[in-house]
Structures are given as structure tokens and as C-alpha cells.
Amino acid sequence: MASLVVVQHRQPSSTVLSSSLSDFNGARLTSSVQLRRKVWQPKGALRVSASSAKKILIMGGTRFIGIFLSRLLVKEGHQVTLFTRGKAPIAQQLPGESEADFSDFSSKILHLKGDRQDFDFVKTSLAAEGFDVVYDINGREAVEVEPILDALPNLEQYIYCSSAGVYLKTDYPPHYEVDAVDPKSRHKGKLETESLLASRDVNWTSIRPVYIYGPLNYNPVEEWFFHRLKAGRPIPVPNSGIQITQLGHVKDLATAFIKVLGNPKASREVFNISGDKYVTFDGLARACAKAGGFPEPEIVHYNPKEFDFGKKKPFPFRDQHFFASIDKAKSLLGWTPEFDLVEGLTDSYNLDFGRGTFRKEADFSTDDIILGKSLVLQS
């Protein structure tokens, strides 16, 4: 049986690179502890008023999005419980996070250990605890959500992390929330979850991020570019490099998740969340170089159809235009992203890769295939 416990995890603090963006939330947080209203001033922090403290369950919460979201919720005065399998520490001091902030967070965060695929356990444990709000950060299939809804008949709100990947390809970008979706997309499980929520008598909100970046990112988005820039290697970019995409900083995403909490305008609604501006693949390579203080990168374009990479992925983005409108979230929620792209990439670099930390080791094997052929063609 799992038990609900207060986690008090202590670690030595880390040395942090000096930077105007080196603090945990892009700048050091200053706030007074109030349940009724909290004012957040610095870049990357949240300005939001919560009507009352809630008993909140986060499904997941120890990897990327949930790390930032849980801290904001705790600072708002909510009782926050993370439901995880217990494989990762529940509380870890993060780069740029003060001793006082970490101590406060680690003394308040709660943990419910279990496997969400064990539906019977999910039903009994959640029903026993009772929660006002569920943030589902790691749900992938509708079948994983049903036992949660069944266990919590008095749930006030179910907030789901979906994906902009559910949209059907279009000749008329950007994607809007009312656009056609693709039932065959690799994110069809998230689409089916949204359908389930819509079919149930529950107050729900779904967030559809585009590409997410920021410190602790476990997907090789900015890290892929940083590895090549640090090694002084050319950056292989498919086709023309003018394909347009969109990235949103994880801290801006976390504030969006807070903005929908208890917000009647978010009831049974879907919101795209990402950065304010779009960027080309070539532009992203240059932005990463600027963020990390590297020279202007050498960009090599190639035709992916001329290569057989096997199961390896030679580039971290889908080779197409892919971006979404965030106007609905800005209009209805009063949310706006605070990080521009270079500033956000700088934050990510200074708090993560620039400190020598990353999720995946550099693998230049597909680069060497591309560059080897390019050199032959040029000779």
C-alpha cells in the first residue's frame, strides 16, 4: 500500500553560473505568503490570484513541467501531492533555487507512491485521500484517466496536458483550437483523453503545448543544438532551413497551467500554449548560438530523402511548418509568455547545459553521414 508522506529531502546546494537569468524562475522570486492573493514581479514568475487553497494532485511531477508547476502551486499556498512510482526523488534543489525556497518547498510537498497503470490502486488510494483538483501531466491514454475520474466524483477541475501534435496538417497555419485534429496522430491517446473528458460530467481544461524547452528538458530540443555548438561542429538542418516552428518556455507553460486553475473562462476549454513568435530552423540554430555565447554557427542543409538513417533521428523537429496561435489563451486567460526565444534559451543554457548537465550524451553519427556526403559533393 502507498502512503501519503511529507517529503523532507535535503541536498547540498549547487554552484550556479553567474547570469542575469540564472535564478530558478528567470529572476529571483520575491513574494509574501498569502492564500488570497500573491503578487509575482520578476521575469518568468507568475502574476495570479487564487481564490482559495486547494488540495491538488499532480500525476507525475518529478521530471520537467511538473517540477516548475509544483513549486508555483506550493508558493500559492495549495496542498500539493505528487503521484509517482517513486523512482525519482520528490524534491531536489534546483540550480538557482535558494536554500530558503527549497527548504520551504521540500517541507510542504507530499507524495503518493503508486503505478497509474494499477487502476484498482488508483481508485482506492485517490478515493481515500480526496482531491479538489487534478493536474495530469503524464497521461497518454484515456484508459489511464477513467479510474481517476471514477475515484473523485466531487472533483472541481481536471487539468490535462495534451499536445499541439493532435492537429491535422494544414495548408493554413497557424493551428487554432477549433482546427481539425488527426485521429491517427502519434498523440491520438491524448486526443481520445480530451474526448473522454468532454463526455464526462466533469469540469476540465486541456493545454496543448507545441515544442517545450527550458532547463531540465528531457527531450533533445535545445540540447541537440548546444551539443553541436559546444563541439564546434556544423549544424545539419533538413532541406531549406526556412521551415517555421514554435517553442514555448517551460516556465511560461507552468504559469499557463496556474492561470486556468479555478478560472471559469477555462471550463471545458482547450488552449494552445507556446512562445509569442515563430522561428525558422536556421533561426533556431542561430538563437541557440547566441544564447550560449557561441560564434555564428555553420549550417549545412541536406535532403533527408538521400539518406538512410535507420531508426536514428537526425533532427529533433518534424520537417514541416508547425506552429499554433496562442491568441485564445492571451485573450481569455490574460496569460502572455514572458520569455522571448533568445532570453529563454539563455535561461535554459545557464541553468542546465552551461553547467555541464544534460539528459542525453552527444551522438553525431547521423551528422557524420550527412557531412561526409556533403564533403564529397563539394570536392
Side-chain angles (χ1 to χ4, degrees):
M1 284 293 291
S3 59
L4 194 62
V5 297
V6 176
V7 177
Q8 294 183 307
H9 186 82
R10 297 288 191 270
Q11 276 186 213
S13 58
S14 304
T15 302
V16 183
L17 290 185
S18 176
S19 167
S20 61
L21 290 172
S22 66
D23 291 325
F24 174 60
N25 278 313
R28 191 162 304 284
L29 286 175
T30 55
S31 64
S32 59
V33 179
Q34 302 175 19
L35 289 186
R36 290 290 174 183
R37 182 171 181 82
K38 295 171 74 69
V39 179
W40 303 61
Q41 294 300 331
K43 174 74 71 176
L46 171 66
R47 298 176 182 88
V48 64
S49 60
S51 59
S52 62
K54 301 294 183 183
K55 188 173 183 180
I56 295 175
L57 175 69
I58 299 181
M59 301 300 292
T62 58
R63 294 186 73 188
F64 185 36
I65 302 170
I67 288 176
F68 296 93
L69 173 60
S70 60
R71 277 165 168 78
L72 293 183
L73 288 169
V74 167
K75 281 187 174 289
E76 279 294 306
H78 301 292
Q79 179 182 305
V80 181
T81 300
L82 307 185
F83 185 105
T84 79
R85 290 175 293 177
K87 293 186 175 182
I90 299 305
Q92 302 180 67
Q93 186 168 10
L94 302 176
E97 185 177 29
S98 71
E99 293 282 355
D101 283 346
F102 174 64
S103 178
D104 180 68
F105 174 75
S106 61
S107 69
K108 295 175 180 177
I109 194 70
L110 302 173
H111 183 216
L112 184 58
K113 182 179 179 180
D115 187 338
R116 71 177 297 165
Q117 300 297 325
D118 184 346
F119 300 149
D120 288 337
F121 173 74
V122 169
K123 286 182 182 180
T124 56
S125 61
L126 269 57
E129 292 295 337
F131 292 96
D132 301 319
V133 177
V134 172
Y135 278 95
D136 192 347
I137 304 301
N138 63 8
R140 295 182 178 275
E141 304 293 338
V143 68
E144 301 171 344
V145 175
E146 287 185 279
I148 301 174
L149 299 178
D150 292 341
L152 301 169
N154 298 317
L155 190 67
E156 295 179 17
Q157 191 175 11
Y158 197 98
I159 303 171
Y160 184 61
C161 186
S162 184
S163 170
V166 302
Y167 291 114
L168 191 67
K169 287 184 180 180
T170 179
D171 292 331
Y172 304 99
H175 291 293
Y176 288 87
E177 289 86 349
V178 295
D179 283 358
V181 292
D182 182 3
K184 297 181 180 179
S185 82
R186 70 183 186 91
H187 297 288
K188 65 179 181 179
K190 291 185 176 291
L191 188 58
E192 291 165 354
T193 299
E194 290 182 345
S195 296
L196 170 68
L197 292 169
S199 72
R200 298 287 292 260
D201 184 22
V202 61
N203 176 30
W204 60 271
T205 305
S206 184
I207 301 295
R208 293 176 179 172
V210 188
Y211 288 111
I212 311 168
Y213 73 107
L216 307 180
N217 193 359
Y218 56 81
N219 285 320
V221 177
E222 67 270 42
E223 179 182 290
W224 187 91
F225 292 92
F226 289 152
H227 270 308
R228 284 148 183 81
L229 290 164
K230 182 180 180 181
R233 296 176 62 96
I235 298 180
V237 174
N239 292 310
S240 66
I242 62 172
Q243 303 92 314
I244 299 171
T245 194
Q246 183 182 23
L247 287 77
H249 198 286
V250 64
K251 297 171 189 175
D252 284 329
L253 176 60
T255 64
F257 270 116
I258 299 290
K259 281 287 190 180
V260 303
L261 176 61
N263 189 337
K265 294 181 179 180
S267 179
R268 303 179 73 85
E269 294 284 353
V270 174
F271 295 96
N272 295 330
I273 297 294
S274 194
D276 228 344
K277 296 189 72 173
Y278 313 135
V279 64
T280 64
F281 288 169
D282 284 2
L284 179 55
R286 297 186 184 101
C288 286
K290 187 173 182 180
F294 297 103
E296 180 83 4
E298 177 187 354
I299 299 173
V300 175
H301 296 122
Y302 65 95
N303 182 354
K305 294 181 179 180
E306 296 179 356
F307 298 89
D308 179 8
F309 299 112
K311 294 184 178 181
K312 290 193 173 182
K313 191 176 180 181
F315 194 69
F317 296 85
R318 57 182 71 186
D319 185 13
Q320 65 179 72
H321 296 309
F322 180 51
F323 50 100
S325 168
I326 58 173
D327 290 347
K328 181 179 177 180
K330 293 168 74 174
S331 174
L332 290 186
L333 303 177
W335 168 86
T336 188
E338 294 199 45
F339 285 95
D340 67 32
L341 183 60
V342 172
E343 189 177 50
L345 289 168
T346 302
D347 178 72
S348 179
Y349 184 85
N350 285 347
L351 292 180
D352 200 352
F353 194 90
R355 301 178 69 251
T357 56
F358 44 82
R359 313 292 86 72
K360 295 183 179 180
E361 295 286 344
D363 180 358
F364 303 130
S365 58
T366 57
D367 298 42
D368 291 339
I369 294 171
I370 294 165
L371 297 174
K373 182 169 184 177
S374 298
L375 290 172
V376 170
L377 292 175
Q378 291 173 8
S379 60

